[in-house]
């Protein structure tokens, strides 16, 4: 079983991404359960605007798309900006839009029987909304969202420190993230045994 | 296996609810699969404001709550008003808020291993957002949202006819609803075989 | 000039409403500018479900509606539940839905040339989304939302103390609320001098 | 008085943008009122990821930012993808994030006394939510959103034709867009006469 993490930070490598720090902490919970993990920092790649699976001419989406389809579990890890999903997360979802009409050998949308979760960090308010937006789009495509398949870290009210600078709430975020990992793996395994089918 | 449908129309019985018409059409897809169904029109009951499981003194939430816990599948059926979930749907979610800390014999939140879906009707734009809001809150509680576990009907742009008055798009809504039923049942069965557990 | 504050707490009087405490602090900023203020705790009144201006038979919406139309400034003050607007705030917006087709002597929707703002408290994440939802619905009706016409207080991540129990961030919330008051009054006065007209 | 329109289509020039067609129709309503208009197709420019006003090294945001600050009225014109704002619109808002702390000679955030509106096209449901998300972020920055300062076009339920392919609802979208223009101009003029000030 494989889990792919897409880090949607706005900061290109090798800049420090707060989201990546929390994400790597959650990734260990997957590895402890024997799930192979991989992390891609989206902004390091050229994801051309569009809604097809290959926009040609230098487009690096096809590689990321292959990684998604090669995994049982997808986790979108993202900061909040203005309490909303950032452009990078939206670009990923847009490029996945083509999956609406792409089907497997049994005529099922390719996202069927895959599960997805969300990890959010921000220095302020907005995580729940970001989770709902991303989860809503993924359900639209056919991904199953297990109960409590997310974690987040932030503070409030108003602007505040980043995850790495702060010292509050990290235990809660990590504990919640470890249970999210457990839930994602459980539902992925249940669907592997008894998959969804087309009517 | 049982599925409970909560119709969150603003119209008390016996007024005609467009949402209920589409919902009953989808319910037959559950019955054809051997799943028992029940429908409650929320506005016919006194759901007192609050976030506990029993607000006392005439509160009729405890009966609806018992119905949710007695079912494997929960479907929130709702109109859109101003392109957002109505007060009735929000009241249901608020009253479910207590489920965050209510656990079963194995210490799991009571919503774990239950699945949920959404049915929306409106004379105008707003269904996807209503689905994301409701699904987001239910995932928060521990419900699993299967891929494409929803359907909707509306038109646009601007105000238009209601479901019963209209003649466009109904085949799409019903076909999508029948697949949603299939997906909800499949994931409920998969989780019944291989349930989520606490870490 | 008058400002009406609708407190959408779920708690009936005389229970303590955290939202009301912050709201009354912001109200003093209006009074210092010579704006008369009034506060209604919505849950103390029988607001029947529906989308007309009078649902008859004990409906107490007509009195609140009269208060809105008698004011230049409307402020929705509300808690967050599950990071979304509560049923009480949604009920208020639903009942205002009738204002879409109600016009003044010059054929303008009744909300034209009125301004609106939002005050949010919660023990956790969700304020920005609640502000966007409420502001979006009010703009739909014709209210003008001045820049930065809101304030909020919360914490995070995960559940935490309420406004009255906490000791962080209150200065920020109050300072932001005082500027919001200033902005609401400024735009209300600008529109009083130079009103919007119909095409 | 000047109005700047940012078209957030995913399609680079010279591809046909449905959003641009509706936008240009609305732009004539501004010109008829003597307001100068300009339209920028965002995807034609290199808007680097980040939240500063200049990300250096080929970043074309500074030119667009200058256009925003040179205008009294900003209109975000955008398609919907998955019923949410596209990455291009989110990128614009992110780059505007720096305006939170940029002030004018009198210490006011640079967005104060500017007004903003939204135009949305989509082949399906989602416009109201897109408007609320964009308007919410702009209010956060200090822009004032006049009542009914938006228009949209779409259909539903499910996938359907694009604006140019369709023949329904265009009169409604254009009439609503013309009134939105009127409202944006009226509030911009009112604020020009009687501006917001800092406390």
């Amino acid at each position: 079983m494989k889990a792919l993490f897409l880090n949607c930070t706005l900061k290109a490598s090798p800049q420090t991404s707060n989201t990546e720090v929390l994400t790597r902490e959650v990734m260990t919970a997957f590895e402890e359960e024997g799930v192979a993990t991989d992390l891609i920092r989206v902004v390091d790649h050229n994801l051309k605007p569009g809604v097809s699976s290959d926009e040609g001419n230098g487009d690096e989406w096809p590689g990321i798309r292959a990684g998604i389809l090669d995994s049982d579990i997808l986790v979108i890890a993202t900061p909040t900006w203005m309490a909303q999903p950032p452009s990078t997360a939206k670009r990923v979802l847009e490029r996945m839009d083509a999956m609406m009409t792409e089907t497997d050998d049994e005529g099922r949308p390719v996202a069927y029987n895959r599960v997805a979760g969300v990890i959010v960090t921000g220095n302020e308010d907005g995580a729940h909304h970001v989770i709902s937006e991303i989860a809503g789009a993924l359900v639209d495509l056919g991904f199953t969202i297990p109960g409590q398949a997310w974690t987040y870290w932030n503070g409030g009210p108003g602007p505040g420190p980043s995850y790495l600078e702060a010292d509050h709430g990290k235990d809660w975020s990590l504990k919640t993230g470890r249970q999210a990992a457990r839930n994602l793996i459980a539902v992925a395994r249940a669907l592997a045994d008894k998959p969804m089918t087309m009517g």
Side-chain angles (χ1 to χ4, degrees), chain A:
Chain A
M1 188 157 278
K2 290 184 188 175
L4 178 65
F5 295 74
L6 298 182
N7 178 7
C8 299
T9 178
L10 298 180
K11 296 174 195 150
S13 297
Q15 293 176 78
T16 300
S17 155
N18 287 280
T19 301
E20 193 153 319
V21 176
L22 175 57
T23 300
R24 288 206 179 274
E25 288 167 355
V26 174
M27 284 168 76
T28 63
F30 284 85
E31 285 151 16
E32 286 166 21
E33 296 284 331
V35 176
T37 64
D38 195 13
L39 184 146
I40 298 172
R41 194 184 288 208
V42 169
V43 79
D44 290 342
H45 299 271
N46 180 15
L47 267 56
K48 301 183 80 170
V51 290
S52 75
S53 284
D54 189 346
E55 293 284 328
N57 214 4
D59 185 17
E60 298 182 45
W61 173 250
I64 296 177
R65 179 179 172 276
I68 294 172
L69 296 183
D70 192 41
S71 305
D72 310 276
I73 298 169
L74 172 67
V75 178
I76 305 291
T78 181
T80 60
W81 285 107
M82 304 177 105
Q84 300 180 13
S87 58
T88 35
K90 293 297 311 171
R91 180 63 53 91
V92 165
L93 294 170
E94 271 159 27
R95 296 306 303 271
M96 293 175 77
D97 192 86
M99 293 184 180
M100 284 232 200
T101 49
E102 294 170 349
T103 51
D104 65 15
D105 290 348
E106 302 187 31
R108 294 173 297 204
V110 290
Y112 271 45
N113 299 308
R114 300 177 196 275
V115 303
V118 189
I119 296 173
V120 182
T121 65
N123 60 9
E124 193 187 347
D125 182 77
H128 274 87
H129 177 54
V130 169
I131 294 166
S132 285
E133 291 283 276
I134 292 174
L138 292 171
V139 166
D140 218 2
L141 293 172
F143 285 88
T144 290
I145 311 294
Q148 302 184 338
W150 52 263
T151 189
Y152 78 93
W153 180 89
N154 69 8
S162 297
Y163 184 67
L164 278 167
E165 300 159 351
D167 52 14
H168 74 276
K170 293 184 176 181
D171 287 350
W172 181 89
S173 299
L174 190 50
K175 185 184 160 202
T176 303
R178 291 183 68 85
Q179 183 63 39
R182 197 172 180 95
N183 296 345
L184 283 158
I185 296 166
V187 179
R189 287 188 177 145
L191 289 175
D193 268 23
K194 258 195 155 155
M196 295 157 71
T197 56
M198 288 307 285

